[in-house]
Amino acid sequence: MWSIRRRLLIVFLCISPCAAVHAQGLNWNEVEPGVWRGIAGKPEAYDLIKASGATANASALSKLPSVDFPIAKEAIHTQIIDGKTYLRFPLEKGEQIYGLGLNFQTIHQRGKVLQLHVDHFGGKDNGRTHAPVPFYVSSKGYGVFINTARYINMYVGSAVRKDSETPAVPKDRNTDKSWSSRPYSDAVEILVAAEGLEFFVFTGPKPIDAIKRYNLFMGGGPLPPRWGLGFTQRVKTLSTAADVEKEVSEFEKNGYPLDFVGLEPGWQSKAYPCTFEWDKGRYPDPKTFVKTMLDKGVRINLWTNPYVSPDAPFYKNILPYTGSHTVWNGVVPDLLTPQARDILFGQMQQDQVSLGVSGYKIDEVDGYDHYLWPDVATFPSGMSAEQMRQTYGVLMQRYSTEMFRKLNKRTYGLVRASNGGANAFPYVIYDDYYNHEDFITALINSGYSGVLWTPEVRASKTPEEWLRRMQTVVFSPMAMINAWSSSTKPWSFPEVAEQVKEMALLRMQMLPYWYSEFAKYHFEGMPPFRGMSLEEGFSTGVVKVKGNTNLEENPYAEAVSKEIKDQYMAGESLLVAPLFAGQTTRQVILPKGKWYDFFTGAYVGNGEVITVTPGLNKIPVYVKDGAVIPMMQPRLHVPGAKEKTDLEIRYYGEQPGHYMLYDDDGESYNYEKGQYSFREIRVEKQRDGGIKGQIAAAQKGMPNTIGKVTFKQMTK
Amino acid sequence: MWSIRRRLLIVFLCISPCAAVHAQGLNWNEVEPGVWRGIAGKPEAYDLIKASGATANASALSKLPSVDFPIAKEAIHTQIIDGKTYLRFPLEKGEQIYGLGLNFQTIHQRGKVLQLHVDHFGGKDNGRTHAPVPFYVSSKGYGVFINTARYINMYVGSAVRKDSETPAVPKDRNTDKSWSSRPYSDAVEILVAAEGLEFFVFTGPKPIDAIKRYNLFMGGGPLPPRWGLGFTQRVKTLSTAADVEKEVSEFEKNGYPLDFVGLEPGWQSKAYPCTFEWDKGRYPDPKTFVKTMLDKGVRINLWTNPYVSPDAPFYKNILPYTGSHTVWNGVVPDLLTPQARDILFGQMQQDQVSLGVSGYKIDEVDGYDHYLWPDVATFPSGMSAEQMRQTYGVLMQRYSTEMFRKLNKRTYGLVRASNGGANAFPYVIYDDYYNHEDFITALINSGYSGVLWTPEVRASKTPEEWLRRMQTVVFSPMAMINAWSSSTKPWSFPEVAEQVKEMALLRMQMLPYWYSEFAKYHFEGMPPFRGMSLEEGFSTGVVKVKGNTNLEENPYAEAVSKEIKDQYMAGESLLVAPLFAGQTTRQVILPKGKWYDFFTGAYVGNGEVITVTPGLNKIPVYVKDGAVIPMMQPRLHVPGAKEKTDLEIRYYGEQPGHYMLYDDDGESYNYEKGQYSFREIRVEKQRDGGIKGQIAAAQKGMPNTIGKVTFKQMTK
């Protein structure tokens, strides 16, 4: 269907010379179903898509509904001014804008002035962040992606044009109390310091469809190995092989799950700058060490940053392929030269990946300005420092993933910088910031921007904080404790040690669900962690509460008029509403439809604001009517590729339930060759009050890790 | 002397094709004595000097000592990369860098990453400030000015090059405790998004000489009218003419000095956006009002921002000469079109200046981003929004001053944005920030950057804070209370009302000193308010105290190794060491030489750190040995142009005293035609312990406002 439509549109574009559009130098072309490319001027040779090498999942895109171009094309303006490309998209009254990267404090972006710029998050949402993805989605049901490796100035409904068609009325501040310092703006205005620009519009019809299209256009989300969704811990930087083995044993002994262990800089002979080789003192026999760990079901993740020490074995070889400036006195590989890539990743492949190391934590590719090459730096490839900064995290993800792909093994790692186009890479972003509330906001924003984020657990001041943080990290893309500096173990707070264990084991029990949800990220573009605005039946939300609104008299208005950034969707059916240290009670906004308690199955409400006081041991999690959640038995390590696991399929509420359960070998890229299955699960309530559940049979010749299946009726 | 040298150098440049320098595309030319122009690529047509129209005071420059070019020219590099101009200056070990605009938290700039960008100060010294002046001065005794109206990226000894000639030694962070996250950098690196750049090097030999050259190259500092150095108060925004007259009477009645009163937005018929005309209700007869005030010796200063309301009488005329975007729904005059200038300033001249209004407070020409036109805006002159933003405050200063110049009257006003090149304009910068300590840091930094800053007094929480702030504002370029919003009057805190009055009257008594010091700013380029590093006998100061330094065991090291930003020089001889609310005692670092208490004449120390506990009523102020401070009687308004004033000349210490007392009519520009005098004062200690003082006779035909002169020996 779409392909015919696309052809017709192309014809239309060819035979209908739309003067207005051409006068602005804008050409539109539907490059994939519902994905429109716009070109202004002469775009640069290097951009975000070139950096990531992303290729569209055309067949998945073709399954999405066909929708007309969502904006009047003549309302989109572009112009080359002052050697830069100007681009304007219209905004309607009440339209909300989400996305624009890994923001930490706000979800609604309308009204913002941002410079999208790879950096650490410096305490203010100003565009400088670990993943300043130039993609936004509108509540009107379309998305926009700016495909440039330049810094991008964005005025997201903040600037007011003299020629605005919906002008604000000037007011006299002397006498008019309704005067506002932020007059109404009806456009997103964008400036990029390049004499041309490629950009894309993704159609809906709903915002979530635009996001799915964006993700699929970039190849879909990553499908982590199964073990990546288990539990992970990082150990002290100067740990020896024996220390690590001891710590792993303690997890086992204490009954806490553990799938991979992260080694911090001390695994290298020198760090900051790095040698990229094992320290012979601390790791005299890395091969045996890695194998011993693997035999225990525990994989090894290695920290590194990309800055090469003069003592690295390949220093002299890589030197000609490094930038003009050093970082911590280490040279910076120019990853746009094949030589630098071959040398750097050749070393890592040979020295580490070939031994069975499972992945990397790629540090300090974000900034801040003092800890990175300056914008004046030059690189042998001729790429500018700015473009290199915007994409270095992307390049590191891309080429490090290739090492594993060569062995037909998936990886799942950590990275501190990413950008648009890197959607498909199996990396989770983290940083040094540590505000729990803001971590959740970042988790929500990750779903609008095609990236993954972990609200990792580090040192905590109290058992309460430790447990509250643990409760959220298990409902995130990576269940990680990164408390090596303080040496906090999961059991370090005896008051909550059992509860922490319970949460960690819950993570493991939910593995069939998480894995299936990530498969949907990959195959359908549906982000596994999402903001509430994307949920059917949830208001997009008027954002700002006026200072003088009397919240006591109007609690409902309060509930819907503030920015909702303390609850989110985890996978298809779960609504997670965390509490933070110091909180004992909170409000939860339930979208329309019946909702149930995830743990008990009890009905909790329908399209309303509820107040809950769950106690310290519980994180409020709710499921939709008809939800089907596949669970397995709690275990300490994820099952192996050929192991079979029994499932308990939980069913909530009254509506007929439906779920697509994903299965494959969990470790290789064979799923790309079709070696996977989605098995349909159906559950229906019976007249007698009981339920009837069915799961489609395993497909012959496909990996099958599912053993006995039982169904559990959660809502009685 | 210099002119011969200059000619020789020009010849040298012409006949000696220095390959290395030319290969970098760098041409050097000594354009004024000790002022070297460098050109890289093809500089843009518009720059900071073009914006300000600054012209050098060549005759004053010729009086400064002749010094060789201060840096090895081959160590200065330039290159056009990625369409931008790269520029690099070397740094030596221990070299300190000062300046780079109105920073609020730090004086030492070495180690900083800045983007010089006109903006409000947002809480961090990152280059975004009200006056991001691209001028720095080195402790090695030279200055550098980057003459561009673009944003400027500066890496001030923060970035490390691979080809550095003084490379830092890589360290292994795993094991080496001396590892630092900020390795040694030996260069200032600059990036400007333009394919060419003009810049200047100012020779010393001392840092203060480089600053003087910079100021003189821009025409010297402003010489305010005498009344500008008196006392000023701002009144409530909706005040009527009668309210203002009443407030002025209260000052008179209570015995507090007052030279000009500032009217806030309510003097205009509409504001935000502005009509630029009197409100007929609040000011039915502006002409009589202004005259009545003038007759009482009180001048009127008017607030405005430049954003034009549709209700302004000239709106339709100016509309074609305004930018593409509005600010608070007001159009933005393109001040680079003569039409916009003629219309806007024509209105102000006719409606206000011609009535006798003395000056303006030009608000909101700085930012922040939400309160200004965006970088995507366009202007009829073709100038970019970026260049307009960098220079709008400069243009407003320039063309508003012209209105007064046409009447041969000086003005002295307030502005919220400035930049390099605006050195000569009679405007003092202010903002909405209100940290007292940081205000003093800004005052210090203003002296390194050729701008003026007032640590204005606004609302205060306690009498102590009110008095402490008042104590510093009288030792600043503008003694202003800006407490209209809270309606705090100088006498509002009865506990300190007398002390406040005493401080205000001290300001008036010191007028001959302040006026002479500003004359030296104008004629000699010497900033009237300066950082300690510029003071003879004061260490440039090692800047950073290591976190683990034990300050208890080594207090002296602490005193000299921290950044000294809580004491400053006011004019030739005064060292001001304020206390801030909550402080009862402080340390003061005295440069080498004998120092005396300004109030008592008592000896206090010599090249040492003293601890003082002055009590709430006193601000510690010290004078140098041999200091001569001309004072007059306390009065409520500055003397008129033809009035004669008796002087009491205070003398401190033992060394022979010398002072150049400036005199002119105090109001007109006739000093530019030579109608002024510097009268030499000499004081010597006699064998009998007494003193002998002399003042040069008044020059015939020159303005003479000096009556009887007496000498007072302060140190007994």
Side-chain angles (χ1 to χ4, degrees):
Chain A
M1 167 67 191
W2 65 266
S3 61
I4 296 166
R5 207 180 122 256
R6 182 161 66 145
R7 265 179 239 132
L8 285 172
L9 280 158
I10 292 167
V11 170
F12 169 80
L13 282 168
C14 297
I15 60 169
S16 161
C18 171
V21 169
H22 285 187
Q24 296 155 16
L26 245 180
N27 285 306
W28 288 103
N29 184 17
E30 191 175 21
V31 291
E32 295 289 346
V35 181
W36 290 79
R37 176 168 62 197
I39 301 276
K42 192 171 177 293
E44 295 186 296
Y46 186 66
D47 56 37
L48 292 175
I49 295 178
K50 298 268 174 29
S52 67
T55 51
N57 183 340
S59 94
L61 281 166
S62 72
K63 288 171 193 151
L64 287 168
S66 169
V67 185
D68 285 342
F69 193 83
I71 311 168
K73 284 206 184 78
E74 60 275 16
I76 301 169
H77 291 262
T78 183
Q79 201 182 336
I80 310 295
I81 44 173
D82 191 32
K84 305 180 177 78
T85 305
Y86 166 72
L87 184 57
R88 182 168 94 230
F89 283 86
L91 286 176
E92 292 181 16
K93 289 241 151 119
E95 186 172 355
Q96 293 295 348
I97 298 296
Y98 307 90
L100 296 171
L102 198 66
N103 293 298
F104 283 76
Q105 296 174 326
T106 50
I107 291 165
H108 291 265
Q109 302 306 321
R110 188 166 182 172
K112 293 290 190 68
V113 178
L114 302 172
Q115 191 192 39
L116 301 181
H117 186 306
V118 167
D119 204 336
H120 80 145
F121 171 64
K124 273 184 194 169
D125 278 348
N126 57 14
R128 285 196 173 230
T129 179
H130 308 272
V133 180
F135 170 76
Y136 69 81
V137 62
S138 158
S139 59
K140 297 283 170 191
Y142 64 90
V144 174
F145 176 70
I146 313 297
N147 184 27
T148 178
R150 297 281 174 185
Y151 305 144
I152 306 176
N153 288 299
M154 307 251 347
Y155 299 85
V156 190
S158 72
V160 181
R161 286 166 299 108
K162 210 162 69 173
D163 68 356
S164 163
E165 284 170 16
T166 53
V169 181
K171 292 177 177 175
D172 174 25
R173 192 182 179 186
N174 288 336
T175 54
D176 188 339
K177 298 231 175 205
S178 72
W179 180 90
S180 161
S181 65
R182 306 274 187 112
Y184 180 74
S185 162
D186 62 4
V188 175
E189 296 186 272
I190 301 165
L191 195 67
V192 176
E195 295 195 2
L197 203 56
E198 181 185 67
F199 50 97
F200 296 89
V201 171
F202 300 88
T203 66
K206 292 183 187 158
I208 188 64
D209 299 311
I211 292 173
K212 286 158 84 172
R213 278 187 222 267
Y214 167 60
N215 286 328
L216 290 172
F217 187 64
M218 301 304 179
L223 180 61
R226 258 199 192 88
W227 58 259
L229 300 175
F231 211 84
T232 180
Q233 159 92 342
R234 304 195 70 83
V235 297
K236 266 189 125 53
T237 187
L238 292 182
S239 296
T240 62
D243 294 334
V244 178
E245 285 171 25
K246 182 161 169 273
E247 179 138 346
V248 167
S249 300
E250 281 173 15
F251 268 74
E252 195 83 28
K253 195 179 72 190
N254 289 310
Y256 288 81
L258 185 64
D259 275 294
F260 57 111
V261 163
L263 309 190
E264 290 293 320
W267 73 269
Q268 296 194 38
S269 59
K270 292 189 179 178
Y272 289 89
C274 295
T275 55
F276 300 87
E277 61 175 14
W278 296 89
D279 181 79
K280 292 197 173 62
R282 293 183 286 270
Y283 296 87
D285 182 0
K287 191 173 176 179
T288 303
F289 165 70
V290 173
K291 187 173 182 309
T292 307
M293 291 290 96
L294 277 174
D295 289 346
K296 294 187 181 187
V298 176
R299 281 158 180 86
I300 298 297
N301 173 289
L302 296 178
W303 172 97
T304 199
N305 67 34
Y307 311 117
V308 180
S309 166
D311 293 316
F314 55 88
Y315 178 75
K316 277 191 186 144
N317 294 341
I318 207 168
L319 197 56
Y321 310 106
T322 60
S324 59
H325 285 67
T326 59
V327 176
W328 292 308
N329 301 315
V331 292
V332 182
D334 181 347
L335 296 182
L336 292 171
T337 67
Q339 294 90 340
R341 295 197 297 263
D342 288 351
I343 295 167
L344 178 68
F345 295 105
Q347 166 72 14
M348 291 160 76
Q349 177 114 33
Q350 186 199 326
D351 197 51
Q352 299 125 43
V353 177
S354 71
L355 306 191
V357 160
S358 75
Y360 289 88
K361 174 184 179 179
I362 299 165
D363 211 6
E364 292 130 354
V365 284
D366 50 342
Y368 76 118
D369 288 342
H370 285 90
Y371 302 167
L372 212 71
W373 59 89
D375 279 0
V376 303
T378 55
F379 287 86
S381 63
M383 202 50 63
S384 71
E386 170 185 355
Q387 292 163 302
M388 199 61 90
R389 180 161 181 171
Q390 291 292 75
T391 58
Y392 208 89
V394 174
L395 296 169
M396 284 298 293
Q397 290 177 68
R398 176 178 180 178
Y399 295 109
S400 59
T401 304
E402 274 190 7
M403 295 189 292
F404 295 92
R405 184 179 277 278
K406 279 180 194 160
L407 304 178
N408 194 26
K409 280 169 70 176
R410 284 181 244 166
T411 180
Y412 197 47
L414 291 149
V415 70
R416 215 161 78 184
S418 193
N419 211 328
N423 310 46
F425 297 129
Y427 279 91
V428 181
I429 305 168
Y430 68 98
D431 77 355
D432 286 338
Y433 186 67
Y434 200 48
N435 179 294
H436 194 188
E437 286 89 335
D438 290 357
F439 267 24
I440 299 307
T441 304
L443 182 60
I444 292 169
N445 279 322
S446 69
Y448 291 112
S449 295
V451 295
L452 297 171
W453 163 260
T454 173
E456 60 173 49
V457 183
R458 295 204 291 271
S460 295
K461 289 192 184 108
T462 61
E464 180 199 12
E465 183 190 347
W466 182 253
L467 180 55
R468 286 301 187 201
R469 286 184 179 273
M470 199 68 67
Q471 286 170 347
T472 54
V473 83
V474 303
F475 290 93
S476 89
M478 189 179 281
M480 174 165 67
I481 299 180
N482 182 24
W484 59 268
S485 176
S486 65
S487 268
T488 320
K489 314 290 176 210
W491 51 87
S492 288
F493 291 101
E495 305 92 325
V496 295
E498 276 310 305
Q499 293 94 320
V500 165
K501 188 192 285 186
E502 197 180 306
M503 288 312 296
L505 290 170
L506 176 64
R507 171 79 178 192
M508 304 304 284
Q509 280 181 276
M510 292 178 72
L511 200 79
Y513 179 73
W514 298 128
Y515 195 56
S516 294
E517 295 307 313
F518 268 90
K520 289 164 198 170
Y521 190 26
H522 177 71
F523 289 102
E524 298 166 15
M526 170 65 93
F529 298 90
R530 303 180 305 280
M532 294 307 303
S533 80
L534 300 172
E535 188 59 22
E536 200 66 39
F538 189 89
S539 151
T540 57
V542 180
V543 188
K544 278 170 191 133
V545 180
K546 271 229 164 189
N548 58 1
T549 297
N550 187 331
L551 300 178
E552 284 168 357
E553 290 177 9
N554 190 9
Y556 183 73
E558 188 267 344
V560 295
S561 69
K562 70 174 185 185
E563 196 170 24
I564 306 307
K565 52 184 188 172
D566 60 355
Q567 61 182 75
Y568 61 96
M569 296 300 297
E572 193 176 314
S573 303
L574 303 183
L575 190 167
V576 182
L579 278 84
F580 306 103
Q583 265 189 317
T584 53
T585 186
R586 61 159 291 164
Q587 291 190 320
V588 183
I589 304 175
L590 299 173
K592 283 178 194 151
K594 292 185 174 179
W595 289 84
Y596 300 86
D597 187 292
F598 169 64
F599 300 98
T600 67
Y603 172 76
V604 290
N606 177 342
E608 64 193 288
V609 181
I610 59 170
T611 300
V612 294
T613 309
L616 176 60
N617 296 352
K618 188 176 170 187
I619 176 172
V621 180
Y622 305 102
V623 298
K624 297 185 217 187
D625 195 0
V628 172
I629 313 284
M631 312 267 287
M632 64 179 200
Q633 285 303 300
R635 35 188 302 165
L636 300 189
H637 313 289
V638 302
K642 292 174 181 172
E643 208 175 324
K644 279 205 164 32
T645 312
D646 294 345
L647 296 190
E648 177 188 88
I649 294 172
R650 296 189 180 176
Y651 165 75
Y652 296 82
E654 304 163 349
Q655 297 283 323
H658 175 264
Y659 192 78
M660 296 302 285
L661 180 74
Y662 179 74
D663 198 11
D664 68 6
D665 66 25
E667 292 178 1
S668 80
Y669 281 100
N670 293 349
Y671 67 87
E672 291 185 348
K673 299 169 201 140
Q675 292 291 305
Y676 70 90
S677 61
F678 274 107
R679 289 171 67 180
E680 188 171 18
I681 299 172
R682 292 193 170 276
V683 189
E684 288 199 1
K685 206 163 174 191
Q686 302 297 295
R687 289 197 184 160
D688 64 2
I691 57 168
K692 184 181 164 198
Q694 286 177 287
I695 181 166
Q699 250 181 289
K700 272 192 187 157
M702 291 295 168
N704 178 8
T705 71
I706 296 158
K708 211 180 93 190
V709 175
T710 54
F711 290 85
K712 182 173 182 184
Q713 183 175 13
M714 294 298 290
T715 309
K716 302 283 170 163
Chain B
M1 168 68 189
W2 64 265
S3 61
I4 296 167
R5 209 181 119 255
R6 184 162 65 146
R7 263 179 242 132
L8 285 173
L9 280 159
I10 292 166
V11 171
F12 169 81
L13 282 168
C14 297
I15 61 169
S16 161
C18 171
V21 169
H22 284 188
Q24 296 155 15
L26 245 180
N27 285 306
W28 288 103
N29 184 16
E30 191 176 21
V31 292
E32 296 288 346
V35 182
W36 290 80
R37 176 167 62 198
I39 300 276
K42 192 170 178 291
E44 295 186 295
Y46 186 65
D47 55 38
L48 293 175
I49 295 179
K50 297 268 174 29
S52 67
T55 51
N57 183 340
S59 94
L61 281 165
S62 72
K63 289 171 194 150
L64 287 169
S66 169
V67 185
D68 285 343
F69 193 84
I71 311 168
K73 285 206 183 78
E74 61 274 15
I76 302 170
H77 292 262
T78 183
Q79 200 181 339
I80 311 294
I81 45 173
D82 191 32
K84 305 180 178 77
T85 305
Y86 167 72
L87 183 58
R88 181 169 95 229
F89 283 85
L91 286 176
E92 292 181 16
K93 288 240 151 122
E95 187 172 354
Q96 293 295 347
I97 298 296
Y98 307 90
L100 297 171
L102 198 65
N103 293 298
F104 284 76
Q105 296 176 326
T106 50
I107 291 165
H108 292 265
Q109 302 306 320
R110 188 166 182 174
K112 292 293 190 65
V113 178
L114 303 171
Q115 192 192 38
L116 301 182
H117 186 306
V118 168
D119 204 336
H120 81 145
F121 170 65
K124 272 185 197 170
D125 279 348
N126 57 14
R128 286 196 172 228
T129 178
H130 308 273
V133 179
F135 171 75
Y136 68 81
V137 62
S138 158
S139 59
K140 297 282 169 192
Y142 65 89
V144 174
F145 177 70
I146 312 298
N147 184 28
T148 177
R150 297 281 173 186
Y151 306 143
I152 306 176
N153 288 301
M154 308 252 345
Y155 300 85
V156 191
S158 71
V160 181
R161 284 165 302 109
K162 211 163 66 173
D163 68 357
S164 164
E165 283 170 16
T166 54
V169 181
K171 292 176 176 176
D172 175 24
R173 192 181 179 186
N174 288 337
T175 55
D176 187 339
K177 298 229 174 204
S178 72
W179 181 89
S180 162
S181 65
R182 305 273 187 115
Y184 180 73
S185 161
D186 62 4
V188 175
E189 297 186 272
I190 301 165
L191 195 67
V192 176
E195 295 195 3
L197 203 56
E198 181 184 65
F199 50 98
F200 296 89
V201 172
F202 300 88
T203 66
K206 292 181 187 158
I208 188 65
D209 300 310
I211 292 174
K212 285 158 84 171
R213 278 187 221 266
Y214 167 60
N215 286 329
L216 290 173
F217 187 65
M218 300 305 180
L223 180 61
R226 259 200 192 88
W227 58 258
L229 300 177
F231 210 86
T232 182
Q233 159 91 342
R234 304 195 70 84
V235 297
K236 266 189 123 53
T237 188
L238 293 181
S239 296
T240 63
D243 294 335
V244 178
E245 286 170 25
K246 181 160 170 274
E247 179 137 347
V248 167
S249 300
E250 281 174 15
F251 267 74
E252 195 83 28
K253 196 179 71 191
N254 289 310
Y256 287 80
L258 186 64
D259 276 294
F260 58 111
V261 163
L263 309 190
E264 290 292 322
W267 73 269
Q268 297 193 40
S269 59
K270 292 189 178 177
Y272 290 88
C274 295
T275 55
F276 300 87
E277 60 175 15
W278 296 90
D279 181 78
K280 292 198 174 61
R282 293 182 288 271
Y283 296 88
D285 182 0
K287 192 173 176 179
T288 303
F289 165 70
V290 173
K291 189 173 178 312
T292 307
M293 291 289 97
L294 277 174
D295 290 346
K296 294 188 181 189
V298 176
R299 282 160 179 85
I300 298 295
N301 172 288
L302 297 177
W303 172 97
T304 199
N305 68 34
Y307 311 116
V308 181
S309 166
D311 293 317
F314 55 89
Y315 178 75
K316 278 191 185 145
N317 294 340
I318 208 167
L319 197 55
Y321 309 106
T322 59
S324 59
H325 285 66
T326 59
V327 176
W328 292 309
N329 302 315
V331 292
V332 182
D334 181 347
L335 296 181
L336 292 171
T337 67
Q339 294 92 339
R341 295 198 299 261
D342 290 350
I343 295 167
L344 178 69
F345 295 106
Q347 165 73 13
M348 291 160 75
Q349 178 113 33
Q350 186 200 324
D351 197 51
Q352 298 128 42
V353 177
S354 71
L355 308 190
V357 160
S358 75
Y360 289 89
K361 173 184 179 178
I362 300 165
D363 210 7
E364 291 130 353
V365 284
D366 50 341
Y368 76 121
D369 288 343
H370 285 91
Y371 301 167
L372 212 71
W373 60 88
D375 279 0
V376 303
T378 56
F379 288 87
S381 63
M383 202 50 63
S384 71
E386 170 186 357
Q387 291 164 303
M388 200 62 90
R389 180 161 182 173
Q390 291 293 74
T391 58
Y392 208 88
V394 175
L395 297 169
M396 284 298 293
Q397 291 177 69
R398 175 179 181 177
Y399 295 110
S400 59
T401 304
E402 273 190 9
M403 295 190 293
F404 295 92
R405 184 179 276 277
K406 279 180 191 160
L407 305 177
N408 194 26
K409 281 167 72 173
R410 283 180 244 168
T411 181
Y412 197 47
L414 291 149
V415 71
R416 215 161 79 184
S418 193
N419 211 327
N423 309 45
F425 297 129
Y427 278 91
V428 180
I429 305 167
Y430 67 99
D431 77 356
D432 286 338
Y433 186 67
Y434 199 48
N435 179 295
H436 194 188
E437 286 90 334
D438 290 356
F439 268 24
I440 300 307
T441 304
L443 182 59
I444 292 168
N445 279 323
S446 70
Y448 291 111
S449 295
V451 296
L452 297 171
W453 163 259
T454 174
E456 60 172 49
V457 182
R458 295 204 292 271
S460 295
K461 289 192 185 110
T462 61
E464 179 198 12
E465 182 190 347
W466 182 252
L467 180 55
R468 286 302 188 200
R469 286 183 179 274
M470 199 67 68
Q471 287 169 348
T472 54
V473 84
V474 303
F475 289 93
S476 90
M478 188 179 280
M480 175 165 67
I481 299 179
N482 181 26
W484 61 267
S485 176
S486 64
S487 268
T488 320
K489 315 290 176 209
W491 52 85
S492 288
F493 290 102
E495 304 91 324
V496 295
E498 275 310 304
Q499 293 94 319
V500 165
K501 187 193 284 185
E502 197 179 306
M503 289 311 298
L505 291 170
L506 176 64
R507 172 78 179 192
M508 304 304 286
Q509 282 180 274
M510 292 178 71
L511 200 79
Y513 178 75
W514 297 128
Y515 196 55
S516 296
E517 294 305 315
F518 268 90
K520 289 164 199 169
Y521 190 26
H522 177 70
F523 288 103
E524 298 166 15
M526 170 65 94
F529 298 90
R530 302 181 305 282
M532 296 306 304
S533 80
L534 300 172
E535 189 60 21
E536 201 66 38
F538 189 89
S539 151
T540 57
V542 179
V543 188
K544 277 171 191 130
V545 181
K546 270 228 164 189
N548 57 0
T549 297
N550 187 331
L551 300 178
E552 286 168 355
E553 289 175 10
N554 189 10
Y556 184 73
E558 188 267 345
V560 295
S561 69
K562 70 174 185 186
E563 197 170 23
I564 306 307
K565 51 181 189 175
D566 59 355
Q567 60 181 75
Y568 61 95
M569 296 300 297
E572 193 176 315
S573 304
L574 304 182
L575 190 167
V576 183
L579 277 84
F580 306 103
Q583 265 189 317
T584 54
T585 186
R586 62 160 290 163
Q587 290 191 320
V588 183
I589 303 175
L590 299 172
K592 282 178 195 151
K594 292 185 174 178
W595 289 82
Y596 300 87
D597 187 293
F598 169 63
F599 300 98
T600 67
Y603 172 76
V604 291
N606 177 342
E608 64 194 291
V609 181
I610 60 169
T611 300
V612 294
T613 310
L616 176 59
N617 297 351
K618 189 175 168 186
I619 175 171
V621 180
Y622 306 101
V623 297
K624 296 185 219 188
D625 195 359
V628 172
I629 313 284
M631 311 267 288
M632 64 179 199
Q633 287 301 300
R635 37 189 300 166
L636 300 189
H637 312 289
V638 302
K642 291 174 182 173
E643 207 175 325
K644 279 206 164 28
T645 313
D646 295 344
L647 296 190
E648 177 187 86
I649 295 173
R650 297 189 180 175
Y651 165 77
Y652 295 82
E654 305 163 349
Q655 296 284 323
H658 176 265
Y659 192 77
M660 297 303 286
L661 180 74
Y662 179 73
D663 198 11
D664 68 6
D665 67 24
E667 292 178 0
S668 80
Y669 282 100
N670 293 349
Y671 68 87
E672 291 185 347
K673 299 169 199 140
Q675 292 290 306
Y676 71 90
S677 62
F678 274 106
R679 289 171 67 179
E680 188 171 19
I681 298 172
R682 290 193 172 277
V683 190
E684 288 199 2
K685 207 165 173 189
Q686 303 296 296
R687 287 194 187 162
D688 64 1
I691 57 166
K692 184 180 165 198
Q694 285 176 289
I695 180 165
Q699 248 181 291
K700 274 193 184 156
M702 291 295 169
N704 178 6
T705 70
I706 296 160
K708 212 180 93 190
V709 175
T710 53
F711 290 85
K712 182 173 183 183
Q713 183 175 14
M714 294 297 291
T715 310
K716 303 283 169 161

